Amino acid sequence: MKRSTDVKDYIRTIVDFPHEGILFRDVTTLFADPRGFRMAIDQMLHPFAGERIDKVVGLEARGFILGGAIAHQLSLGFVPIRKKGKLPGTTISEEYKLEYGEAIVEIHDDAIQPGEKVLVVDDLLATGGTAEAGIKLIERLGGEIVACSFIVDLPELGGRAKLEKMGMNVSLLCEFEGL
């Protein structure tokens, strides 16, 4: 891969995945390139230099990769928000809508303490449903969202507008037109 300073150049598009007519934005090529991955993590952190952040929360599943790297870089704890039934111990859950049905995400009920400042991360912002559910879980535990940081935005699906309407600070590295 050619060396670039644009994260978007490291992301490949897979046509007709997982369904015909979909252009899947595959960040695994970004993760596999050491320079691209480092650049993405650095760019996701940059807007929050000097901000108080207590925890990094990653949304399942690629948000775990990013969240773990960001938490490590900031010397903070990492908290996963997972699909229902994947976390041991006591959890709280939030249901959200998908194109084709509903899903549920969960967080440990002691993962975030009241007043903790939280950075929410994931790879891609589409409709914003998963992020919205994650935000609701964090807020139910008393956490305060500093920002939501994503690599890719699919603006046609309206996720950014949804999160901003909730009062969230949304940080994005690049966007792709089309679904």
Side-chain angles (χ1 to χ4, degrees):
M1 170 170 291
K2 75 175 185 127
R3 296 292 171 211
S4 175
T5 57
D6 188 348
V7 167
K8 192 172 184 175
D9 293 338
Y10 291 88
I11 299 168
R12 70 177 163 189
T13 298
I14 311 265
V15 178
D16 294 331
F17 182 84
H19 307 290
E20 188 173 332
I22 301 292
L23 298 173
F24 185 81
R25 309 310 177 170
D26 181 17
V27 295
T28 63
T29 50
L30 170 68
F31 294 168
D33 186 287
R35 185 168 190 264
F37 187 53
R38 165 61 97 182
M39 183 173 43
I41 297 302
D42 289 348
Q43 289 178 12
M44 291 178 85
L45 289 170
H46 181 74
F48 313 108
E51 293 258 357
R52 179 182 149 213
I53 300 172
D54 299 305
K55 297 262 176 72
V56 177
V57 170
L59 304 175
E60 186 156 333
R62 290 173 297 273
F64 298 170
I65 297 164
L66 297 165
I70 290 169
H72 172 76
Q73 190 73 8
L74 294 174
S75 297
L76 298 174
F78 171 77
V79 175
I81 290 184
R82 301 219 49 197
K83 294 176 183 171
K84 183 175 174 56
K86 300 289 184 179
L87 289 172
T90 307
T91 61
I92 62 170
S93 61
E94 185 72 32
E95 191 172 303
Y96 65 100
K97 298 211 181 299
L98 300 167
E99 292 175 42
Y100 47 84
E102 296 175 344
I104 298 173
V105 290
E106 296 180 323
I107 189 172
H108 282 124
D109 67 352
D110 60 356
I112 305 290
Q113 301 307 307
E116 283 189 314
K117 306 287 188 187
V118 177
L119 176 63
V120 177
V121 299
D122 203 0
D123 67 321
L124 185 132
L125 180 58
T127 65
T130 306
E132 177 184 29
I135 289 164
K136 288 178 179 178
L137 288 171
I138 293 163
E139 289 179 338
R140 281 173 46 200
L141 293 176
E144 300 172 20
I145 313 292
V146 171
C148 300
S149 183
F150 304 89
I151 295 174
V152 176
D153 182 26
L154 302 178
E156 293 173 32
L157 296 178
R160 181 180 195 160
K162 177 187 282 188
L163 298 185
E164 287 175 343
K165 187 175 179 183
M166 294 174 69
M168 294 297 116
N169 172 12
V170 180
S171 178
L172 304 152
L173 301 188
C174 67
E175 65 179 46
F176 285 91
E177 298 298 325
L179 304 180

